[in-house]
Amino acid sequence: MIGEITLRGVLPRVFRGGENEPPVCRSEVWAVPELTFARPSAWLVEAESGAGKSSLCAFIYGAREDYDGAILFDGEDIRGYGIERWCRLRTHALAYLPQDMRLFPELTAVENIMIKNRLTDFRSEAEIRSQLAGLGLAAKADIRAGLLSVGQQQRVAILRALCQPFDFLLVDEPVSHLDPRNNAAVAELITSEAETRGAAVIATSVGVKLAVKDYNTLHL
């Protein structure tokens, strides 16, 4: 279980200044002495393109280490974690929706979600189909993901991200291809799931924002 995530002076190395120059960024996240995300809470990280929002999610998820500073889970630096520790965290504590979604185009919507569900047996197939229906995808459940629209794929990817236990949910531009109605449905689902688990949500946005009512806002 992760209670809080702390960033101490974290800065993508690509944003370093010269030897006698300050870092090339103005941010409420990068290079700040200390920033803590604690559960339960919701955070919206707003950024211009290229400001590092996807990098932030990848750093916290342990997928990349090309940063200065330190990221701590409950006071422990994650740079010391091994593969087994990361596997446990990604199965039981950290859920992640990357911007590129990473669905298998040859598999159906249900199959894409079930692949992840087999790691923890978190939901039954009936529950997964019910959630697909709740997001207007009942008729698309058995359609190959590669044949779905980008907005439909995004909703499938969101359900896949939620199909596990988690203390923190990282969602990188989760509603960039959704209309206001579907944005609201996704926001309601994410809020409900997070509240049920006492979890925190960290969402990024370049333009369209996740329609969560109560959140803290940071600017990259």
Side-chain angles (χ1 to χ4, degrees):
M1 179 178 292
I2 302 172
E4 63 181 31
I5 296 174
T6 301
L7 279 60
R8 289 184 180 166
V10 172
L11 180 71
R13 288 175 184 156
V14 70
F15 292 161
R16 285 175 176 171
E19 183 176 350
N20 298 312
E21 299 174 353
V24 186
C25 71
R26 293 181 179 179
S27 171
E28 295 176 334
V29 176
W30 299 138
V32 300
E34 185 163 296
L35 171 63
T36 296
F37 302 98
R39 49 186 289 261
S41 59
W43 298 81
L44 176 64
V45 181
E46 296 184 303
E48 296 180 356
S49 181
K53 58 178 184 50
S54 296
S55 297
L56 174 65
C57 293
F59 294 160
I60 293 174
Y61 197 64
R64 287 173 50 187
E65 294 187 350
D66 54 320
Y67 61 88
D68 297 327
I71 299 175
L72 301 92
F73 291 175
D74 295 328
E76 185 178 7
D77 194 327
I78 66 173
R79 286 191 190 274
Y81 292 177
I83 293 176
E84 290 186 6
R85 181 79 173 273
W86 277 116
C87 287
R88 290 197 301 272
L89 288 172
R90 291 168 183 165
T91 304
H92 299 286
L94 289 173
Y96 178 32
L97 170 63
Q99 183 182 354
D100 59 8
M101 296 181 282
R102 300 178 190 174
L103 295 176
F104 295 98
E106 71 278 11
L107 300 182
T108 68
V110 165
E111 288 170 342
N112 267 281
I113 300 171
M114 288 297 293
I115 280 181
K116 182 173 186 179
N117 190 62
R118 293 191 188 103
L119 297 174
T120 59
D121 291 325
F122 191 70
R123 300 195 194 282
S124 67
E125 182 174 337
E127 290 172 326
I128 290 171
R129 288 182 179 275
S130 176
Q131 287 199 318
L132 284 166
L135 292 184
L137 296 171
K140 306 295 183 179
D142 298 302
I143 301 296
R144 285 188 289 127
L147 299 178
L148 302 179
S149 71
V150 177
Q152 291 167 344
Q153 290 179 27
Q154 199 160 43
R155 280 174 277 166
V156 172
I158 287 166
L159 290 178
R160 183 190 58 189
L162 294 172
C163 200
Q164 68 168 87
F166 62 83
D167 300 319
F168 282 82
L169 172 65
L170 311 172
V171 283
D172 189 8
E173 288 198 70
V175 293
S176 57
H177 298 283
L178 300 186
D179 59 30
R181 179 177 61 84
N182 282 309
N183 184 330
V186 165
E188 183 179 354
L189 176 62
I190 287 176
T191 299
S192 174
E193 293 277 345
E195 288 180 349
T196 297
R197 308 168 200 215
V201 177
I202 302 174
T204 71
S205 170
V206 168
V208 181
K209 303 174 186 178
L210 180 66
V212 174
K213 294 180 182 179
D214 298 315
Y215 53 75
N216 306 285
T217 303
L218 294 168
H219 296 89
L220 277 178

